[in-house]
Amino acid sequence: MKIIYDTISKIVLVLMFTAAVGFQAQERVVSVDEVKNLALENNKKIKKAQQNVEAAKAARMASDAGGKPTVDGSVGGYYFSKPLSNLIPEVLGSANLNVTQVLYSGGKVETGKRISSAAVDLQTAQKNLTKEEVKLSAETTYWQIVNAKEKIVLAKEYSKLLDQLHTNVKNSFDAGLTYKNDLLKIEVQQNEAQLNLKRAEDGLSIAKLNLAQIAGLPNSDFDVEDSVNGSFSSVLADREVQPTNRPELSILAKAVEMNELQEKLLDGDRKPTVALSGIGFSSFGKNVNPVNRKNDMQGFVGMLSVNIPIYDWGARKEKVKEQQYKTNAQKLEMEETQELLVLEVQNAVMQLNQSVKRIELAEKSLVQAMENLRLNQDRYDAGTVVAEEVLKAQVLWQQAKSEILDAKAEYKINEAKYKKASGINGEY
């Protein structure tokens, strides 16, 4: 009875282990939306951009403290040997507390706060731009994987056609009904088909590695769920289109704002600075107080300081002018970028519509190639054409099929580029 129990236990353990291994061996299947979301969560470029945002926020916090009073303290102990000990206590301890409040600085404190706040917005916009670029890169690589998978299927299907034709011609050659030259031509195409299959497999491996890096996947042991099917519609061209939600515009707008604020900051250097300081001190030592000869002494010093720029040979004025020129240059760059973004949208529209036309023509070519292959195969079977004609028809079919796969994958990629260019995916 114990032997039966032990045997059953071992069988159960083996089955459980086999099931676990089989479960782990299953490939993860991801969709294009899932890939983009993973990229937004895991991509190192986005994480780096977030660190820059956090750094800008920290700088803003530091700038916000600029208008508040500063408090500094110090504590010291001293020992003096002769002859100094004949004039001051041999052992002396002191403590100081310094409080300073800037009353007026030509608006530099408030301007500095506004600059640091604008810097946060700029870094946030830069992060948004990085996110859009990463999403486009992830989606582009995704459709490259889909296309590579389809190319592998096509290469295998084409190889089967060639193998079948090779078998028929080989039988004819063995029977002395055809020349070896016909057989060699088919074998050359077989070699080419195997090379295309290898290229497609290598392309798939590289694309999956790229996507794993972009999306932060642990490895390339995953599959994609889509195929290059679906609707492929064109979009209307609008010459007056104005791209919205483009982070590039936000970046440049904040850059202009920061340049204008920098002008005010430099202009503040030409204005007086008024500060109020108070220093409290306490000293301890033998007869340290010169008034009553006591061993301790406390006091307070108040000071109002006014720093007035008088003459610097025009250096401060020229710095302000320099910054004004930089601001004007930044404004011109923003205007030029707006024009280029409009052109980018129009180009994306044209590229997408060209992809639609390419698909339409490729589908017509595929229908024609399939009919051509059918007719030549029937004629070959009837003995009215040679094998070379069937071989040519198979090559045309393979080329037409490959063209339509490329055209559909191109459409998906151009569609993603169009959405990015027009700001459709600009969700921040």
Side-chain angles (χ1 to χ4, degrees):
M1 191 70 179
K2 185 176 182 301
I3 296 175
I4 297 175
Y5 176 79
D6 291 341
T7 303
I8 293 175
S9 299
K10 291 178 181 179
I11 293 173
V12 170
L13 288 174
V14 170
L15 291 175
M16 290 176 63
F17 177 77
T18 304
V21 171
F23 179 78
Q24 293 177 354
Q26 290 180 352
E27 281 189 330
R28 178 180 183 177
V29 180
V30 294
S31 65
V32 63
D33 291 333
E34 184 180 0
V35 162
K36 289 190 290 185
N37 290 332
L38 286 171
L40 293 178
E41 293 175 5
N42 303 321
N43 188 266
K44 290 181 174 59
K45 291 181 179 179
I46 297 177
K47 291 182 177 180
K48 176 184 175 182
Q50 180 60 37
Q51 293 301 309
N52 291 333
V53 172
E54 297 301 327
K57 288 180 178 179
R60 182 178 62 184
M61 294 292 291
S63 180
D64 288 342
K68 299 176 182 178
T70 59
V71 181
D72 300 306
S74 63
V75 177
Y78 310 92
Y79 171 79
F80 300 98
S81 64
K82 292 181 179 181
L84 292 177
S85 60
N86 295 329
L87 301 174
I88 57 179
E90 183 178 12
V91 178
L92 177 66
S94 67
N96 298 320
L97 184 66
N98 186 0
V99 180
T100 302
Q101 173 65 59
V102 176
L103 302 178
Y104 178 74
S105 62
K108 290 191 291 184
V109 173
E110 186 61 31
T111 301
K113 292 180 180 179
R114 293 174 61 186
I115 289 177
S116 61
S117 180
V120 173
D121 295 337
L122 187 146
Q123 290 298 333
T124 301
Q126 182 63 53
K127 177 187 173 183
N128 291 334
L129 176 59
T130 303
K131 288 168 62 177
E132 289 305 304
E133 291 173 344
V134 167
K135 284 197 298 183
L136 176 60
S137 180
E139 189 164 359
T140 298
T141 309
Y142 180 91
W143 291 115
Q144 288 173 347
I145 291 174
V146 173
N147 190 33
K149 285 180 58 181
E150 298 283 355
K151 286 293 185 67
I152 290 174
V153 174
L154 172 61
K156 291 179 178 179
E157 187 176 357
Y158 181 49
S159 293
K160 288 181 179 179
L161 289 176
L162 290 174
D163 291 343
Q164 183 178 359
L165 181 62
H166 183 271
T167 299
N168 294 335
V169 174
K170 179 71 165 55
N171 293 334
S172 298
F173 174 74
D174 292 341
L177 301 176
T178 187
Y179 297 103
K180 188 174 183 180
N181 184 46
D182 294 334
L183 194 62
L184 292 175
K185 289 179 181 178
I186 299 173
E187 291 174 350
V188 169
Q189 286 299 320
Q190 285 180 312
N191 294 334
E192 182 69 21
Q194 290 301 313
L195 180 58
N196 289 336
L197 176 59
K198 177 61 176 174
R199 286 172 178 167
E201 291 173 343
D202 290 344
L204 177 62
S205 299
I206 293 298
K208 291 178 75 172
L209 288 172
N210 288 338
L211 187 58
Q213 192 280 325
I214 295 169
L217 294 168
N219 50 56
S220 60
D221 294 333
F222 63 89
D223 197 6
V224 294
E225 67 177 19
D226 291 273
S227 61
V228 284
N229 294 318
S231 61
F232 303 93
S233 57
S234 59
V235 293
L236 296 176
D238 185 358
R239 297 187 178 276
E240 303 299 325
V241 67
Q242 293 293 330
T244 58
N245 296 327
R246 290 296 296 266
E248 294 93 331
L249 296 178
S250 299
I251 291 172
L252 290 172
K254 287 300 174 182
V256 170
E257 180 183 349
M258 292 177 67
N259 273 277
E260 292 174 340
L261 291 171
Q262 189 67 28
E263 287 182 37
K264 294 183 179 181
L265 195 65
L266 292 172
D267 191 55
D269 291 337
R270 304 169 63 191
K271 299 176 182 179
T273 301
V274 182
L276 180 64
S277 299
I279 304 173
F281 63 88
S282 180
S283 300
F284 303 91
K286 187 176 181 181
N287 300 325
V288 70
N289 195 319
V291 177
N292 53 24
R293 308 301 295 176
K294 290 185 177 181
N295 294 335
D296 63 286
M297 178 177 62
Q298 292 80 32
F300 175 83
V301 177
M303 180 178 64
L304 179 67
S305 63
V306 180
N307 181 16
I308 304 175
I310 297 177
Y311 188 69
D312 64 350
W313 305 95
R316 294 185 181 91
K317 180 181 178 180
E318 292 302 320
K319 285 183 178 179
V320 174
K321 290 175 64 177
E322 176 191 2
Q323 188 59 41
Q324 288 174 344
Y325 291 129
K326 290 181 178 180
T327 302
N328 292 335
Q330 193 72 61
K331 289 179 179 178
L332 291 172
E333 182 180 353
M334 184 170 68
E335 292 175 4
E336 182 184 26
T337 300
Q338 288 175 325
E339 296 170 355
L340 292 175
L341 290 179
V342 172
L343 292 176
E344 183 181 344
V345 175
Q346 294 174 351
N347 182 65
V349 169
M350 287 189 291
Q351 293 288 340
L352 187 59
N353 290 338
Q354 286 177 10
S355 295
V356 174
K357 190 64 176 178
R358 182 183 177 187
I359 292 172
E360 292 176 355
L361 295 175
E363 287 177 339
K364 290 181 180 178
S365 297
L366 179 60
V367 172
Q368 294 167 349
M370 291 175 64
E371 180 64 13
N372 180 55
L373 177 59
R374 185 188 68 80
L375 292 174
N376 278 282
Q377 184 65 52
D378 290 344
R379 290 169 183 169
Y380 175 75
D381 293 340
T384 58
V385 297
V386 295
E388 185 176 359
E389 297 300 321
V390 178
L391 180 62
K392 289 179 181 179
Q394 289 181 349
V395 170
L396 290 175
W397 172 85
Q398 187 270 342
Q399 292 175 345
K401 186 72 174 179
S402 179
E403 172 66 15
I404 197 170
L405 293 176
D406 289 338
K408 289 181 176 181
E410 179 190 71
Y411 175 91
K412 292 294 186 180
I413 294 172
N414 286 336
E415 184 181 39
K417 290 180 179 179
Y418 165 71
K419 290 180 178 180
K420 177 182 179 295
S422 58
I424 295 176
N425 287 335
E427 301 172 357
Y428 311 131

